[in-house]
């Protein structure tokens, strides 16, 4: 039985509350089948290619799958679970195969190419948007291997499926390893330096795992916010080392996946005629070449290394005054930096009321948008987002015209968040 993405009453926003993890899988399967059916009509159309029967028909065909995958992966990335992980892993390979079925279809490629030639010759009217769509779609076909031999296309399908599985497994291990590395605290004295808000957050995290005391959960960055506040050097060391070692060993280690993924991506890049995976990625972006990206990043990296070297010397001197008899370590970096800011009259605690989330959002971001562009943002209580934390806002132009919805997820440090802080 066919199923489609349930929608809320307005703006065609997915009705996340009505969906269980298993529902998404059937919805995505049905949407994939619908897209293939719609695109088959495009490729088999005996009439000359036009904007209406090719571009517009293509976009109608892909709409259901675009909505379904956007809903599922937004939820999965923001607030995953074992059930969602299982669905994501199965869908990753299926979606890779689905993409190959479309982008390796010679009939579809010919149809788009014929329309491009007709627009260039003036036989079919097309504006800048049409020209851009055709250019990008033809490039996607070439980058996806449409010109490869049947044997190489089959090899490409295998590589793409393997890459999709590895990427899905990597994301799952990142979350599991990050959660596994959380630092459990049972002695309240070890929380010295944390604000009441931070203590409450740590206590809530411990309670969520049925643990006594407090749990210092990690975010998906090298630096951890706890390090700027914790007064006990030994606790800072534990947090830092937990952050640096997560995913290094055990069932959630990611190193082996990274090596496998790098090799398979390199094989795919070579098959498609690129010198490296980096070259393949660069070609799909604005920079176009690895050298162009390096030209942008190298100056910043040199400046960063230079600044870090200077900071290291300065922080060591400050630390000597702050912690007599102790040796400065990398876990002390953020702690010293926060005290240096305080000495420079940039006290984090003094600034905290002004940097409180609601203040920054409403009196900062939303107010700036209104003053600069006339945009107004209003909270919508009747619509629900993909997690209970998500807030839904309606955005209006200066004349009151509705621009759309803004879904804002303040749960940036959620332990179930995939690949993010």
């Amino acid at each position: 039985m066919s199923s489609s993405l349930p929608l809320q009453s307005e703006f065609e926003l997915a009705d996340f509350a009505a969906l269980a993890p298993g529902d998404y899988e059937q919805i995505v399967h049905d949407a994939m089948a619908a897209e293939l059916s719609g695109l088959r009509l495009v490729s088999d159309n005996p009439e000359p290619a036009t904007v209406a029967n090719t571009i517009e028909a293509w976009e109608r065909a892909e709409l259901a799958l675009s909505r379904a995958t956007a809903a599922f992966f937004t939820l999965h990335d923001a607030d995953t679970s074992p059930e969602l992980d299982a669905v994501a892993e199965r869908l990753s390979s299926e979606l890779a195969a689905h993409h190959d079925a479309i982008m390796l279809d010679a009939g579809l490629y010919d149809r788009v190419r014929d329309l491009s030639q007709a627009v260039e010759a003036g036989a079919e009217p097309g504006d800048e948007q049409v020209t851009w769509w055709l250019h990008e779609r033809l490039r996607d076909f070439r980058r996806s291997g449409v010109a490869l031999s049947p044997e190489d296309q089959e090899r490409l399908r295998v590589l793409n499926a393997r890459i999709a599985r590895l990427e899905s497994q990597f994301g799952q291990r990142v979350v599991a390893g990050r959660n596994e590395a959380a630092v459990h605290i049972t002695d309240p004295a070890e929380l010295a330096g944390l604000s009441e808000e931070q203590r409450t957050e740590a206590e809530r995290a411990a309670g969520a795992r049925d643990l006594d005391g407090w749990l210092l959960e990690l975010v998906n960055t090298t630096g951890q916010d706890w390090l700027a506040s914790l007064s006990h050097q030994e606790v800072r060391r534990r947090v830092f080392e937990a952050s640096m070692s997560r995913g290094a060993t055990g069932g959630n280690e990611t190193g082996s996946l990274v090596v496998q993924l790098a090799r398979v991506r390199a094989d795919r890049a070579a098959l498609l005629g690129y010198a490296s995976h980096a070259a393949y990625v660069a070609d799909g972006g604005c920079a176009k070449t690895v050298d162009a990206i390096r030209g942008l990043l190298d100056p910043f990296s040199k400046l960063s290394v230079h600044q870090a070297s200077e900071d290291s010397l300065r922080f060591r001197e400050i630390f000597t005054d702050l912690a007599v008899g102790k040796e400065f370590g990398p876990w002390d970096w953020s702690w010293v930096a926060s005290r240096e800011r305080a000495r420079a009259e940039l006290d984090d605690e003094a600034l905290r009321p002004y940097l409180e989330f609601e203040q920054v959002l409403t009196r900062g971001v939303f107010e700036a948008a209104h003053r600069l562009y006339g945009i107004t943002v209003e909270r919508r209580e009747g619509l629900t987002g993909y997690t209970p934390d998500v807030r839904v806002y309606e955005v209006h132009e200066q004349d009151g015209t509705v621009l759309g919805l803004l879904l804002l997820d303040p749960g940036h440090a959620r332990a179930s968040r995939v690949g993010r802080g």
Side-chain angles (χ1 to χ4, degrees):
M1 182 177 179
S2 177
S3 59
S4 58
L5 188 70
L7 303 176
Q8 298 182 54
S9 59
E10 298 177 72
F11 297 98
E12 298 186 334
L13 178 64
D15 190 356
F16 294 97
L19 289 162
D23 296 334
Y24 288 96
E25 195 163 10
Q26 187 60 52
I27 291 170
V28 170
H29 285 163
D30 291 343
M32 285 193 288
E35 181 174 22
L36 290 178
S37 177
L39 291 180
R40 194 172 301 115
L41 295 176
V42 173
S43 63
D44 294 347
N45 192 331
E47 299 294 325
T50 65
V51 171
N53 67 24
T54 303
I55 296 179
E56 294 175 7
W58 188 311
E59 292 184 340
R60 285 194 300 272
E62 69 184 359
L63 182 59
L65 182 59
S66 176
R67 286 176 173 168
T69 53
F72 173 72
F73 285 108
T74 296
L75 171 61
H76 174 261
D77 289 355
D79 191 16
T80 193
S81 66
E83 295 80 11
L84 288 172
D85 280 344
V87 173
E89 187 162 358
R90 290 192 295 270
L91 286 180
S92 62
S93 298
E94 294 170 1
L95 287 167
H98 178 76
H99 179 267
D100 287 339
I102 294 171
M103 302 312 293
L104 296 177
D105 187 320
L108 277 175
Y109 172 72
D110 290 343
R111 187 76 177 177
V112 175
R113 184 196 57 196
D114 290 347
L115 178 57
S116 179
Q117 292 173 349
V119 170
E120 288 179 4
E124 172 69 13
D127 56 17
E128 291 181 355
Q129 292 184 32
V130 167
T131 301
W132 178 86
W133 191 98
L134 291 167
H135 175 271
E136 291 298 300
R137 197 53 53 106
L138 288 172
R139 189 183 67 162
D140 289 344
F141 271 115
R142 291 190 291 270
R143 283 172 49 80
S144 299
V146 72
L148 295 176
S149 68
E151 295 77 15
D152 283 343
Q153 285 189 359
E154 186 57 36
R155 184 180 169 215
L156 179 64
R157 294 176 194 270
V158 173
L159 292 174
N160 283 338
R162 179 66 174 151
I163 289 170
R165 285 194 299 272
L166 288 170
E167 288 176 341
S168 179
Q169 291 168 9
F170 176 81
Q172 293 174 26
R173 289 194 193 180
V174 165
V175 174
R178 186 177 68 222
N179 292 336
E180 185 181 52
V183 177
H184 186 207
I185 302 292
T186 56
D187 182 356
E190 294 185 339
L191 300 176
L194 296 186
S195 66
E196 284 303 315
E197 181 183 356
Q198 289 174 311
R199 288 169 180 259
T200 300
E201 179 184 341
E203 186 175 23
R204 176 203 55 76
R209 302 197 201 183
D210 295 325
L211 296 173
D212 294 330
W214 301 264
L215 194 66
L216 307 184
E217 291 185 317
L218 305 183
V219 294
N220 196 38
T221 57
T222 301
Q224 302 294 326
D225 292 342
W226 309 108
L227 296 176
S229 303
L230 288 163
S231 298
H232 284 270
Q233 186 187 40
E234 177 59 20
V235 182
R236 293 199 300 270
R237 181 193 64 77
R238 287 170 58 193
V239 172
F240 179 86
E241 291 184 346
S243 177
M244 295 301 292
S245 62
R246 59 204 154 123
T249 58
N252 294 318
E253 67 85 21
T254 56
S256 61
L257 290 180
V258 170
V259 172
Q260 293 177 61
L261 191 54
R263 288 172 175 166
V264 181
R265 283 173 168 175
D267 289 344
R268 180 180 65 179
L271 183 63
L272 292 170
Y274 293 90
S276 64
H277 177 67
Y280 170 75
V281 172
D283 179 61
C286 296
K288 300 304 179 188
T289 68
V290 175
D291 286 343
I293 294 175
R294 285 176 175 160
L296 292 171
L297 296 181
D298 284 353
F300 290 103
S301 63
K302 291 175 182 178
L303 288 171
S304 298
V305 170
H306 176 73
Q307 185 63 54
S309 298
E310 289 191 347
D311 289 347
S312 177
L313 294 174
R314 188 172 71 259
F315 288 174
R316 285 177 186 275
E317 292 179 2
I318 297 171
F319 185 77
T320 300
D321 295 333
L322 293 173
V324 178
K326 293 185 177 181
E327 184 177 349
F328 179 74
W331 38 83
D332 300 316
W333 191 288
S334 296
W335 185 75
V336 174
S338 67
R339 271 120 198 98
E340 184 188 39
R341 288 194 297 272
R343 293 201 313 188
E345 297 184 354
L346 293 173
D347 189 341
D348 289 345
E349 288 304 315
L351 290 173
R352 188 177 296 277
Y354 301 97
L355 299 179
E356 190 269 331
F357 179 79
E358 294 296 339
Q359 291 268 37
V360 172
L361 180 66
T362 58
R363 300 180 64 181
V365 178
F366 291 169
E367 180 64 21
H370 179 66
R371 293 188 183 186
L372 290 171
Y373 308 111
I375 292 172
T376 57
V377 183
E378 299 176 1
R379 184 80 178 266
R380 285 296 307 268
E381 299 292 349
L383 299 174
T384 58
Y386 42 90
T387 76
D389 294 330
V390 169
R391 306 174 183 189
V392 181
Y393 297 88
E394 187 171 311
V395 184
H396 297 261
E397 273 282 20
Q398 189 169 11
D399 63 3
T401 303
V402 177
L403 286 172
L405 293 181
L406 167 66
L407 274 65
L408 187 66
D409 184 4
H412 66 281
R414 190 181 298 116
S416 55
R417 204 174 183 94
V418 177
R420 291 167 177 79

